[in-house]
Amino acid sequence: MKQTDYASILAEIKNNLQKQIAPFLKTLKQPQPSLGIGAGGDPIKQVDLAAEKAIVDTLADYGISFTLISEESGIREFGENPQECYVTTDPIDGTTNLMRGIPFYATSIALSTEPTLNTVYAALVADLVHGVTYTAQNGEGVHRNGQKIAPSQFASIESAVIGLDLNTYKVLEIIPRLTGLMQKTKHVRHFGANALELCYVADGTTDAFIDMRGKLRTTDVAAGWLILKEAGAMITTPDGEPLNAKLSPKQHVSFIAAGNPEIHRIILDLTRPEKEAR
Ligand code: IPD
Ligand code: CA
């Protein structure tokens, strides 16, 4: 894909996706067909497939060769040179919210030269409820509906707004490491669509977002990774190392995303394994 083209192609994908999912939003209360389990391990909904189809069809209309890395149908090759471009997507991030009528879900699409997080060069995360789209290109910053954004410079952990995903059956395994942080901060949040919650750190809506469950797929993180980086925010492993991973619906990551180095350092310090509550 030519560098100059991808911003407009990503925007067109998003518009097509929104049109394709519209009919399904009207039938959420009706019984849903059973469509099996997606590549990421969750039950597939019709709306997830419609969103994925909009992505694939738009790229195919442009005659683009690509390898799709999707939470729904897994890894599939299209065109004559599928290694030319890797398209990593969670077509709908926050499917449970969508199905239950909770107004917080998004689409997440990342383009990369290799199937690795650190080669993502263009990204789009679109909030499909509020008409807010985040776009980023390597070295060119990040925009929210066309306006440049910047992360929070706030560094007081007591009054910071901290996103924290505790959504796992194995919560008892991660809680000890998080207790020190949770005891210090008043405002803990989780909205249920992690790709969009990463963008909230990028534009300063929240000060940090932490997911230490080891279960979030790289398909959910790929676009947010570039959006954070281009905004000047941070995303590292829970031990403070640069976050890199294979792009695959089967590859899981844990991370600390933060608006600025100071709040990142405070969180790292409070969540060090040796500080675990016993
Ligand atoms: C989910 C959301 C949610 C997170 C889950 C993800 P999905 O994505 O990002 O916030 O807690 O782990 O699976 O399944 O709606 O695409
Ligand atoms: Ca999904």
Side-chain angles (χ1 to χ4, degrees):
M1 202 183 300
K2 273 199 248 115
Q3 289 243 328
T4 44
D5 293 344
Y6 47 66
S8 56
I9 296 174
L10 285 174
E12 189 167 333
I13 290 176
K14 184 230 139 195
N15 290 338
N16 288 343
L17 185 149
Q18 224 148 8
K19 275 184 220 143
Q20 291 297 322
I21 67 168
F24 296 99
L25 303 182
K26 295 182 186 139
T27 58
L28 296 176
K29 298 267 185 284
Q30 293 170 16
Q32 302 288 319
S34 193
L35 299 171
I37 301 293
D42 289 338
I44 304 177
K45 305 283 183 229
Q46 283 176 306
V47 69
D48 293 319
L49 293 183
E52 184 183 90
K53 187 170 180 317
I55 297 168
V56 168
D57 288 354
T58 312
L59 290 166
D61 283 350
Y62 277 94
I64 293 165
S65 291
F66 62 100
T67 301
L68 181 78
I69 303 172
S70 169
E71 189 183 297
E72 303 311 335
S73 62
I75 300 177
R76 286 155 68 200
E77 296 186 340
F78 295 85
E80 284 178 5
N81 298 303
Q83 275 76 35
E84 245 174 34
C85 176
Y86 292 84
V87 178
T88 300
T89 181
D90 184 1
I92 302 282
D93 182 39
T95 304
T96 302
N97 282 352
L98 181 154
M99 298 306 294
R100 299 298 293 264
I102 299 169
F104 196 86
Y105 50 88
T107 187
S108 169
I109 307 167
L111 309 182
S112 61
T113 53
E114 303 286 335
T116 53
L117 197 52
N118 66 357
T119 66
V120 173
Y121 60 85
L124 174 144
V125 173
D127 176 335
L128 297 170
V129 181
H130 304 100
V132 174
T133 301
Y134 298 84
T135 48
Q137 293 188 37
N138 199 9
E140 294 190 17
V142 49
H143 294 85
R144 179 184 189 265
N145 285 358
Q147 304 286 315
K148 278 225 171 201
I149 57 170
S152 140
Q153 295 309 309
F154 198 64
S156 153
I157 199 72
E158 286 78 14
S159 22
V161 178
I162 308 283
L164 189 53
D165 192 339
L166 294 174
N167 174 23
T168 168
Y169 296 124
K170 296 185 181 165
V171 69
L172 289 180
E173 288 175 20
I174 58 167
I175 276 289
R177 194 164 169 182
L178 292 164
T179 310
L181 171 71
M182 292 176 81
Q183 282 169 334
K184 285 243 172 201
T185 188
K186 277 194 294 200
H187 309 295
V188 171
R189 300 285 186 274
H190 177 46
F191 304 122
N194 290 15
L196 192 50
E197 287 170 89
L198 290 173
C199 297
Y200 273 26
V201 178
D203 73 1
T205 303
T206 60
D207 301 295
F209 183 61
I210 302 160
D211 188 340
M212 290 199 184
R213 302 169 300 155
K215 82 173 240 200
L216 194 71
R217 300 161 280 243
T218 47
T219 42
D220 300 51
V221 177
W225 179 88
L226 185 68
I227 288 168
L228 284 162
K229 178 170 151 273
E230 287 298 318
M234 305 177 67
I235 181 165
T236 69
T237 67
D239 297 323
E241 300 299 325
L243 184 70
N244 190 24
K246 195 172 139 195
L247 294 174
S248 156
K250 309 235 182 289
Q251 176 72 46
H252 300 126
V253 281
S254 287
F255 57 79
I256 297 173
N260 61 75
E262 205 170 335
I263 199 128
H264 182 262
R265 187 194 51 72
I266 295 169
I267 294 170
L268 265 185
D269 193 44
L270 286 167
T271 57
R272 281 208 313 264
E274 57 270 29
K275 292 217 167 158
E276 279 188 20
R278 293 182 203 283

